[in-house]
Amino acid sequence: MNNTLYKTLAFGALAGMRSLAAPTLISHFVSQDENSPLQNTPLRFLGNSTVAMVLKGLAASELVGDKVPGVPDRIELPSLIMRSATGAVAGAAIYLINHKKAVEGAAIGAAAAIAATYGSFYLRKTLCEKTSLADPIYGALEDALVIASGIKAAQM
């Protein structure tokens, strides 16, 4: 498998765990490049520094919101749609940056996001049931995993 595919799978998985993580990281790195590789594509908005800043704020609020009791599960339809959509955007962006077909990247990113949504949901649920740690602690650990993995994936 090639690096583009691995990166797309990684960013799709990030979107499944935290819906805004993938587009936020991509926007952060692309917006720092004066010659954004997305500038002549439909996803050129990700290269805008204002968009990058807004996404960072929204992603930070998602990290906080995840720990609030009563928030619907990530496998509920609205959340699942959002996660698959952000996985698709991330996948399309990665494929466009690498001069490949955006639709292929979008499909792979969305599929990875859906798989990671269910995988991370049931893993966290099982860990909460089988251990004495509170759910917000696992949420914070998941946040750390998403941030560290996202930075590493961006460097691939």
Side-chain angles (χ1 to χ4, degrees):
M1 284 200 231
N2 65 37
N3 195 43
T4 302
L5 178 59
Y6 286 139
K7 197 171 199 173
T8 303
L9 290 169
F11 274 88
L14 292 173
M17 295 171 74
R18 293 289 179 270
S19 63
L20 292 171
T24 299
L25 284 163
I26 289 172
S27 185
H28 170 76
F29 288 107
V30 171
S31 69
Q32 294 179 353
D33 186 350
E34 287 182 16
N35 299 314
S36 168
L38 296 174
Q39 67 187 5
N40 295 318
T41 75
L43 297 179
R44 64 184 160 275
F45 66 91
L46 289 173
N48 182 292
S49 59
T50 302
V51 170
M53 192 64 81
V54 168
L55 284 171
K56 288 173 192 174
L58 292 171
S61 68
E62 181 182 19
L63 297 179
V64 173
D66 175 62
K67 306 336 169 264
V68 176
V71 172
D73 291 335
R74 68 183 77 185
I75 60 171
E76 296 295 322
L77 190 58
S79 179
L80 192 60
I81 290 170
M82 177 67 167
R83 291 165 194 272
S84 65
T86 60
V89 167
I94 293 165
Y95 266 59
L96 285 170
I97 288 168
N98 289 281
H99 311 289
K100 297 184 180 218
K101 295 180 182 177
V103 70
E104 289 177 21
I108 293 166
I114 291 168
T117 298
Y118 281 98
S120 61
F121 173 79
Y122 286 110
L123 175 61
R124 186 163 157 186
K125 185 175 179 177
T126 300
L127 287 170
C128 287
E129 291 171 359
K130 304 286 184 190
T131 67
S132 60
L133 291 177
D135 183 67
I137 293 172
Y138 285 116
L141 291 171
E142 188 176 2
D143 294 342
L145 176 66
V146 166
I147 292 167
S149 299
I151 292 169
K152 186 66 175 174
Q155 296 169 347
M156 287 172 52

